Amino acid sequence: MKVFVGCSSRDEIAEEYLQLASFVGKLLQNNELVIGGTCVGMMGRVAKEVNKTQLTQIVLADYVIEGAQKTEHFYVCETSFERMKQIWDQSDLFLFLPGGTGTLGEIITFLEENRAKKQKKKIIVFNYEHYYDDVFAFIEKAKQNCFSNEEILEGITFITSLKDLEEIL
C-alpha cells in the first residue's frame, strides 16, 4: 500500500513532534511511503525509517534543495496544483500528522477530492494533542450551516491516540 504522510517539513519544531514522526515511520516500514517534499523536519524523520526504494518524493520545484539526496522515485512539480494531483494519483491512503499551512491545504484538498470522486480513498488525521480540533470544528460548522453535508466525512477518520494509529496502520 502506498501511504502519503502529510506533516511539517520544518526542523525548528518541538522535539516531541520529531519523535512522533520517527515512531510513525517505524509503523510504516512495511508500506511504500509518499511524501510531498524533501527529507527534512517531521517528513524527514518519517522517511528515514522507510527503505529508500519504497520512498516516493513529490516536490515543488521551489523547494528542491541543492545537493540533497534524492530517492529513486523523485518527482519535481512546477505548481502546487500539479503536486497535489501527483500525490493523489500515487497514494492509496493519506495520513496527516501535525503540520503547517501546507499540511492543512493537503487535508482540505484531499478531503474535497474524496468528496467529488466515486471511489473514496482513506484519509486519517492524527489529532495529536488536539492539534486538529479546529479543523474538525470547521468541518462540523460547515455541515451545520449546510455548506457541506455528511458525505464530506466519507473516508476521513480523526484519531487521537498512538494506540488508534497503531491499530489502523
Side-chain angles (χ1 to χ4, degrees), residues 7-155:
C7 59
S8 176
S9 61
R10 295 182 58 89
D11 286 322
E12 308 84 7
I13 58 175
E15 182 64 27
E16 73 177 290
Y17 294 113
L18 297 171
Q19 289 175 9
L20 171 65
S22 293
F23 179 80
V24 169
K26 289 175 184 160
L27 289 177
L28 293 170
Q29 285 179 334
N30 296 323
N31 295 281
E32 293 182 57
L33 179 66
V34 178
I35 60 172
T38 56
C39 293
V40 295
M42 290 177 71
M43 203 177 295
R45 293 284 185 100
V46 172
K48 181 180 177 184
E49 301 298 334
V50 176
N51 184 317
K52 295 299 179 226
T53 62
Q54 294 183 287
L55 178 63
T56 298
Q57 290 176 264
I58 303 170
V59 182
L60 195 56
D62 294 343
Y63 295 116
V64 174
I65 299 170
E66 282 294 319
Q69 182 180 3
K70 296 176 179 71
T71 60
E72 184 178 324
H73 307 287
F74 189 86
Y75 302 91
V76 177
C77 300
E78 293 302 316
T79 69
S80 58
F81 301 112
E82 177 188 342
R83 180 180 153 276
M84 293 287 203
K85 181 175 181 347
Q86 187 77 259
I87 291 169
W88 175 266
D89 290 344
Q90 293 214 27
S91 304
D92 302 311
L93 180 143
F94 302 89
L95 171 62
F96 293 98
L97 305 176
T101 55
T103 307
L104 178 60
E106 291 163 350
I107 292 171
I108 298 301
T109 297
F110 299 138
L111 182 64
E112 179 60 20
E113 191 68 12
N114 223 18
R115 186 197 62 76
K117 299 282 184 184
K118 288 181 181 164
Q119 183 180 7
K120 308 294 183 207
K121 294 189 179 187
K122 190 169 185 99
I123 300 170
I124 301 165
V125 177
F126 185 18
N127 193 16
Y128 178 75
E129 299 291 322
H130 304 281
Y131 190 83
Y132 286 114
D133 282 354
D134 292 335
V135 173
F136 185 74
F138 169 80
I139 293 168
E140 287 299 314
K141 185 175 184 178
K143 283 177 21 191
Q144 288 170 4
N145 289 293
C146 299
F147 292 112
S148 292
N149 57 25
E150 281 299 318
E151 72 181 27
I152 196 69
L153 294 175
E154 287 180 17

